[in-house]
Amino acid sequence: MKLHWLLTGLLAVVPRDTNALQIRRDTPRDQLQYDAHYFNQKINHFPGSGRFAKPTLGNGTFTQRYYFDTSYYKPGGPVYLYISGETSGPSRFSNLRTGIIQILMEATNGLGVILENRYYGDSYPFNTSTTDELLFLTTNQTIADNAYFAQNAVFPGIEGDLTAPGTPWILYGGSLAGAQTALSIKVHGDVLYGGIASSAPIKVSVGYPEWYNPIQKYAPQDCVTRINNIVDKFDLLVAKKHTKAIKEFKALFGLEVLTDNRDFAAAIADPIGNPGFYHSNTWQELNWNSTYGSRDFFYFCGNVSDIDAPEDIAQVDYALANYTKGEPWVGLGSYANYIKRYTLQLCPSGDYNSNDCWGTQNASAWASIENTSTRSYLYTSCVEQGAYIAAPKEGPALLSRVVDISYEQQWCRWAFPPGRHNKIPSSPDIGAYNDFGAFNLRADRLAFIDGDQDVWNDLCYHSNFAPPRTVSTDLQPELLITGAGHHWDSSGILDVEAEPQFIREAHKWQIKTVKKWLKDFDAWKKSKKL
């Protein structure tokens, strides 16, 4: 469920001869390249069902892009299907190169494949994304893609039939793709043998102020406290409708052009994480592996909590003290200085009030029907997923309380006007997720793995709101990684033993889990009379 993506380079496969494909042996593994392959996927898996029954738009197929790695494969080995989720297939290639799929392939002589989700990357059913054309972007359609692909996939250069259920297919996904992994095994477990769902949101809500809880708890507390107090003071100005003071506050950040208070609140929260599509590397982008993560959040916090700030910056803490009975806004000067020096530079046009930056109130800008990952992700949020990031209604806040769920819901109305065959609900139909079991979702050979410092964790299996997790079995295993963030287990460094202890042991647990499952595959296959 990322709203900000860190993209990696492209991979390709090169031919060894006319009958097989092989990875170049003279290329470092973390720089490997692969060719794209295309699969004829059904647009509509449910032509006789409800709202999918009438539209002729759903007739036919579309080309769904996939990539695969055979470097460790030996006949009889499993297939590992990495669910690409809310981004393009190429941006997930690190998982084939050095990450969790590479780790599992090497341990079990498996083949790895990345399947790009419908409506992402190059896998769009239509040339545009109107409301009607987005009708087929649903959880049920997406997980049906996974099963249909597994039953019909072809891997050029590999002899034999590797389709499911005759071959063990084991899925892995993180974030939104983690939820899709879990639901794929729950619904299509007769085809798909097993799955590992990492940081998977399985119990969603329309609003999700809990996104900030791990930051509030685990981030440097001097930084957190300063931001909490600044937010409180700003919200007091808003409550008193002190227009002059609000304008002065915005000007300190160089953002007086943002007349909507919610846009302004989201802009100054950008280094922390905010509703919509933030520009900074936030707490969510932290990672144990520096190749795929960023420490920008800590640079930001270090600035906000700087006790040796230059005098001209420190004096800004008193710029609004006359509105708070002489009390300084401690840290305001350093906070505003960081936003002006670093965050505003992330808006290349310099038009901070545009939809490309932090302005969201131009309704017509949301109406573009161009195929983009942003539009696809927003549609899923509006229709099924919800989880709108909002400020908490009580307690300390890192985001101003002017931001509530209506802020994101308005974008849904503007972006997706009613079509002939499809219209979005007035509020997300979160039952599309939660009706599969929510926090009680279970399936054989479905593993859940989460990080306790993940901003999305309270929607996941190990949520603080879930029942106590006290029993892990071979068929229904689970693991909470202490000190880990958003699907940190997906990254690797080609040497499990050299990884930090908490990641190393998680990867060893995943290897053992999958090996146990594979030992039972022949018995499972026999029970299915395959």
Side-chain angles (χ1 to χ4, degrees):
M1 298 179 69
K2 284 191 174 181
L3 303 182
H4 170 98
W5 299 284
L6 299 176
L7 304 182
T8 60
L10 301 181
L11 289 181
V13 169
V14 295
R16 178 179 62 186
D17 54 43
T18 57
N19 297 314
L21 294 172
Q22 169 180 300
I23 294 172
R24 289 183 179 178
R25 300 303 176 192
D26 59 349
T27 302
R29 183 158 187 92
D30 60 359
Q31 299 174 27
L32 291 175
Q33 297 185 346
Y34 289 86
D35 284 334
H37 298 266
Y38 295 89
F39 175 77
N40 287 325
Q41 183 63 265
K42 296 179 180 180
I43 295 175
N44 183 7
H45 293 277
F46 312 105
S49 175
R51 59 190 174 129
F52 302 119
K54 293 183 180 179
T56 57
L57 275 173
N59 295 344
T61 62
F62 69 99
T63 54
Q64 190 167 24
R65 189 166 60 169
Y66 68 101
Y67 304 81
F68 66 92
D69 182 325
T70 64
S71 54
Y72 299 100
Y73 179 72
K74 293 181 180 179
V79 174
Y80 293 103
L81 175 59
Y82 187 97
I83 307 302
S84 185
E86 67 273 36
T87 185
S88 68
S91 68
R92 301 298 197 188
F93 284 153
S94 61
N95 294 280
L96 285 182
R97 288 170 167 164
T98 62
I100 184 60
I101 300 301
Q102 181 275 326
I103 291 169
L104 295 175
M105 287 192 297
E106 184 177 31
T108 61
N109 300 319
L111 179 150
V113 56
I114 293 175
L115 179 65
E116 195 165 67
N117 273 28
R118 57 172 55 209
Y119 293 90
Y120 288 93
D122 279 352
S123 298
Y124 285 87
F126 309 103
N127 292 327
T128 54
S129 291
T130 65
T131 305
D132 276 343
E133 289 166 336
L134 287 164
L135 173 64
F136 306 99
L137 177 54
T138 67
T139 299
N140 274 322
Q141 296 280 4
T142 300
I143 65 176
D145 285 349
N146 299 334
Y148 187 71
F149 176 74
Q151 290 173 297
N152 296 278
V154 174
F155 301 103
I158 298 296
E159 296 181 359
D161 183 356
L162 271 64
T163 58
T167 296
W169 278 61
I170 297 174
L171 280 59
Y172 177 94
S175 195
L176 173 61
Q180 293 167 349
T181 293
L183 301 183
S184 294
I185 303 305
K186 175 73 173 180
V187 177
H188 301 288
D190 58 331
V191 174
L192 304 167
Y193 187 58
I196 301 173
S198 179
S199 298
I202 55 175
K203 169 67 167 65
V204 297
S205 54
V206 176
Y208 186 54
E210 293 83 7
W211 194 91
Y212 293 98
N213 286 0
I215 309 173
Q216 184 71 40
K217 181 176 181 179
Y218 296 111
Q221 290 302 291
D222 51 353
C223 167
V224 167
T225 298
R226 288 186 172 195
I227 296 172
N228 289 159
N229 291 335
I230 291 169
V231 168
D232 286 347
K233 289 178 170 63
F234 172 65
D235 286 353
L236 183 62
L237 297 182
V238 173
K240 291 182 175 181
K241 299 181 180 179
H242 210 313
T243 305
K244 181 174 180 292
I246 292 170
K247 287 182 178 179
E248 291 177 19
F249 184 61
K250 291 178 180 179
L252 293 175
F253 291 84
L255 288 168
E256 55 269 42
V257 69
L258 295 178
T259 55
D260 189 288
N261 289 337
R262 298 167 300 177
D263 287 349
F264 170 74
I268 65 170
D270 200 279
I272 308 167
N274 63 19
F277 304 90
Y278 52 76
H279 303 267
S280 302
N281 291 308
T282 73
W283 182 270
Q284 180 170 320
E285 281 67 56
L286 297 174
N287 198 290
W288 68 272
N289 186 333
S290 60
T291 302
Y292 306 111
S294 168
R295 296 179 61 190
D296 286 1
F297 176 86
F298 291 115
Y299 297 140
F300 162 71
C301 251
N303 275 266
V304 172
S305 59
D306 186 6
I307 61 173
D308 296 313
E311 183 64 20
D312 60 328
I313 293 175
Q315 281 301 310
V316 176
D317 293 3
Y318 295 88
L320 302 174
N322 57 311
Y323 298 112
T324 52
K325 299 180 180 180
E327 182 181 340
W329 297 43
V330 180
L332 175 58
S334 295
Y335 190 178
N337 183 61
Y338 184 93
I339 295 296
K340 286 189 291 187
R341 288 189 62 186
Y342 301 107
T343 305
L344 299 190
Q345 309 311 310
L346 302 176
C347 172
S349 69
D351 183 2
Y352 307 137
N353 200 33
S354 70
N355 261 50
D356 292 334
C357 296
W358 296 283
T360 68
Q361 299 306 298
N362 180 0
S364 63
W366 292 94
S368 170
I369 60 173
E370 180 183 358
N371 289 341
T372 65
S373 59
T374 298
R375 184 166 175 81
S376 297
Y377 186 87
L378 179 62
Y379 179 82
T380 296
S381 299
C382 296
V383 173
E384 294 183 342
Q385 179 179 284
Y388 300 154
I389 297 175
K393 293 182 179 179
E394 57 185 30
L398 294 166
L399 173 70
S400 169
R401 299 167 186 86
V402 299
V403 179
D404 59 19
I405 60 174
S406 67
Y407 182 56
E408 292 190 54
Q409 188 62 51
Q410 65 181 340
W411 307 339
C412 300
R413 297 194 306 272
W414 297 336
F416 308 110
R420 180 181 176 187
H421 303 291
N422 186 28
K423 65 178 181 179
I424 64 168
S426 58
S427 183
D429 177 17
I430 57 177
Y433 272 67
N434 297 342
D435 289 351
F436 289 99
F439 289 140
N440 294 314
L441 193 157
R442 300 280 194 286
D444 286 348
R445 291 172 302 280
L446 172 59
F448 287 102
I449 184 168
D450 299 312
D452 68 346
Q453 295 187 20
D454 178 13
V455 290
W456 296 107
N457 190 53
D458 274 334
L459 301 179
C460 299
Y461 184 85
H462 292 96
S463 167
N464 291 297
F465 307 111
R469 306 305 190 187
T470 58
V471 178
S472 176
T473 68
D474 289 348
L475 276 179
Q476 298 181 357
E478 54 93 358
L479 178 65
L480 178 64
I481 310 175
T482 301
H486 198 51
H487 60 86
W488 278 16
D489 62 298
S490 65
S491 297
I493 56 174
L494 293 176
D495 185 353
V496 171
E497 291 295 336
E499 295 171 349
Q501 175 180 300
F502 67 138
I503 298 297
R504 179 189 70 222
E505 296 308 313
H507 284 154
K508 286 185 173 182
W509 175 83
Q510 288 169 314
I511 291 170
K512 287 187 293 184
T513 294
V514 168
K515 283 185 173 180
K516 290 174 187 176
W517 292 347
L518 293 176
K519 286 181 179 180
D520 294 333
F521 177 70
D522 286 342
W524 178 85
K525 184 176 176 180
K526 185 176 181 180
S527 73
K528 300 292 182 183
K529 298 181 179 179
L530 298 174

